[in-house]
Amino acid sequence: MSKFTRRNFLKASGAAAAAASAMSASTFAIGGAGKKVVVVGGGMGGATAAKYIRMMDSSIEVTLIEANKDYYTCFMSNEVLSGVRDIDDIKFGYTGLGKHGVKVVHAMATGIDDAKRVVKTSAGDFGYDRCIVAPGIDFKYDMIEGYDAKVAEDIPHAWKAGSQTVTLRKQLEAMKDGGTVCICPPPNPFRCPPGPYERASQIAMYLKAKKPKSKIIMLDPKPKFSKFGLFQEGWTKHYGYKGQNNAGGMIEWYGTPKDSDDNVLQSVDAKTKTVVTGFNEIKADVLNVIPAQTAGKIAKAAGLTNDKGWCPVNGKTFESTIKKNVHVIGDAAIASPLPKSGYAASSEGKVAAAAIVALLNDGKAPTPTYVNTCYSVISEVDGAMDGISVAMVYAWDEKSGKIIKVKGSGGLTPSGKDRDADMRAREVKYAHSWFENITADTFG
Amino acid sequence: MKKVKALQAAMVACGLALTGAVFADGHGGPSAEALSYSCAGCHGTNGLSSGPASPTLAGMPKSVMIETMQGFKSGDIPATIMGRIAKGYTDAEIEKMGDFFAKQKFMSAQQSSDAMLAKKGAKLHDKYCEKCHSEGGSIEMAVEDEVGVLAGQWKPYLHYSLNDFVSGKRPMPKKMKKKLETMHKKEGDAGIQALLEFYAGK
Ligand SMILES: Cc1cc2nc3c(=O)[nH]c(=O)nc-3n(C[C@H](O)[C@H](O)[C@H](O)COP(=O)(O)OP(=O)(O)OC[C@H]3O[C@@H](n4cnc5c(N)ncnc54)[C@H](O)[C@@H]3O)c2cc1C
């Protein structure tokens, strides 16, 4: 079990981390520390938690188990689809975390033995005092006939950024002018509620410039979606949009009333790029199917999920309510009213980090505070810079044992008669600033 | 908590900064660190922004932080998003964040600056701004003068702020108003641009 001795730690953390490790080594001698945290998943939640534990208490050994050498951010991946950004602009590595003394192991976690406090991985077992699980999402392929992980290589969901983002971009580039792009957003709850609609906006921006006779059809299993009014206003303004369930503009959006299956996806024919919903059948030139989601596989394998496939947690510490000493953060966790977003995952990572550091030092979990913001860039061409956002500050309510919205805070970018073109242009710049800062805060 | 204290002492002895965040016992709301860490997604770790537009908060004088946050809250200072965020915090919480960010080390933004324009900007600054934003609007003097930093702040952010001042959307001290308006009348937007290049080059 104790593969992870201090000597190994010092050896493994590399030259860059040597200084930090040496410092923590001296605290082992005095403070009787040497507590171990293993983090599974080095995305927005996991990487942030790993870094902040080390920032708060460098006597704690932190090992990060991450499957991939490179991380591609989902956020701003829609700008790769429109050609504003290159795929390499959203690629991040793990050397920054090494500098904070986080030991990064590139391996696949396969299970957690919570009785023995061991994370099992393709690179061996790692013992922990506390464990953080942040695996992001997995897809429920079995809900759509004719669609699975293999088909998704050709008909990409691109809901985890990386090679599928590039595939989708190439398909858009290869499409003829006058083609049809069909996007099938997922049912709730899912990663990044405004994401599919920002995607439609970014693709429309590309088509308007390069293939103006083309159109985008969205078949949505929901009656409405995040930033509903703001997106529709933006589509009308920039791309032609004739209202819900109407044809004629560049973007068409078809929703599904409650208790109906109108645009609930039933099947996909990969060969002909045809999708069938309860009511519609569309043959597309480029097809983007985003399946329903659950917590990442390891969460289920470790017994951390409920019957709906997500992980219930105590919102004050993000400790699983099913398994002791295991904390779940990010998209995999049920953190409502916090949405499944990168900003929320980062915020949860910091709350979990502070709780774990306190608990490992025999203290009580501190009072948390949380923030979320999601930017969406509807348009970013000269003369039409249009960014929007939703924000919220959250607090912990000890009485109800719940995360609550702080009254009076948050909300949406003003629209309608309060729309301010200058402020919208600033929001594009600030969305890009957010990207720079949150990635530096996570991986730097 | 004895062990914790001992550990804390030991770590201080080792020259390690151990934040108070994790040792707060739950009374009195979230700690200064917990509150301030949640701003990092937009303002950078410990308030040091990677830009290109979001302002750096590190080193901001506490009084300026409080005034600015209250200005966002009331709507006096125009903002894209800070109005919505500032309303999420009590006066006591804003004070805590003021303490935190004032203690963080400021570093000048890494950005381009047009040397020719900056030269002209230096002259304009001396004439119209230096009195209250001394030593070229430097962080050291910003702390002393209790004003926001100008030298080394992100250019697009300062540009937005100055536009808001000039257009009358954002209130400013009477004397500053007089100076800024005189400058703008004489030099136009080119004067603003020159000032921005001057601050960006520092
Ligand atoms: C198109 C799109 C746009 C988006 N835009 C925004 C936005 O503007 N703002 C915003 O805040 N959010 C946005 N998001 C959402 C954001 O990307 C996610 O909410 C966020 O990444 C969640 O973080 P996480 O840590 O839970 O998961 P992830 O970031 O996905 O990280 C999970 C990590 O765990 C690793 N992993 C999984 N299982 C294992 C295992 N068994 N062993 C080892 N490693 C494993 C994975 O490789 C991955 O690196 C967007 C998402 C999409 C798809």
Side-chain angles (χ1 to χ4, degrees), chain A residues 23-24 26-27 30-33 35 51-52 55-59 343 347 350 353-354 357-358 360-371 373 375 389-391 393 406-414 420 422-423 425-427 429-430 432-438 440-442, chain B residues 1 3-4 6-7 10-11 13-19 21-31 33-46 48-55 78-81 83-89 93 154 156-157 159-161 163-164 169:
Chain A
M23 274 203 278
S24 39
S26 54
T27 63
I30 311 161
K35 292 275 169 46
K51 170 176 164 176
Y52 272 79
M55 273 171 60
M56 291 173 191
D57 183 349
S58 58
S59 76
Y343 207 113
S347 194
K350 291 168 189 178
V357 170
L360 289 181
N361 283 291
D362 302 328
K364 271 202 238 157
T367 307
T369 169
Y370 330 68
V371 171
T373 300
Y375 281 107
S389 57
V390 59
V393 179
V406 174
K407 268 209 188 99
S409 79
L412 295 162
T413 298
D420 181 330
D422 178 38
M423 290 309 218
R426 290 186 192 183
E427 288 223 70
K429 257 285 193 342
Y430 285 134
H432 293 154
S433 299
W434 164 79
F435 174 81
E436 297 299 331
N437 279 310
I438 198 161
D441 191 40
T442 307
Chain B
M1 288 297 274
K3 194 171 151 204
V4 172
L7 177 64
M11 299 187 87
C14 294
L16 292 172
L18 184 60
T19 70
V22 300
F23 297 103
D25 65 4
H27 297 295
S31 67
E33 285 80 1
L35 290 160
S36 308
Y37 287 161
S38 64
C39 318
C42 291
H43 289 287
T45 307
N46 297 332
L48 212 51
S49 173
S50 310
S54 292
T80 54
I81 204 162
R84 289 178 267 159
I85 289 176
K87 285 186 192 122
Y89 300 98
E93 288 171 336
W154 285 98
Y157 177 69
H159 199 174
Y160 297 149
S161 297
N163 282 350
D164 290 345
K169 282 188 200 152

Side-chain angles (χ1 to χ4, degrees), chain A residues 109 133 196 291 360 378:
Chain A
V133 177
L360 289 181
I378 299 181

Side-chain angles (χ1 to χ4, degrees), chain B residues 5 40 55 68 73 76 108 129 141 152 177 189 194:
Chain B
K5 283 235 178 77
T68 311
K73 246 186 173 178
D76 281 351
S108 281
C129 323
M141 294 315 287
K177 191 172 157 72
D189 287 346

Side-chain angles (χ1 to χ4, degrees), chain A residues 26-43:
Chain A
S26 54
T27 63
F28 291 147
I30 311 161
K35 292 275 169 46
K36 291 176 183 141
V37 174
V38 175
V39 182
V40 175

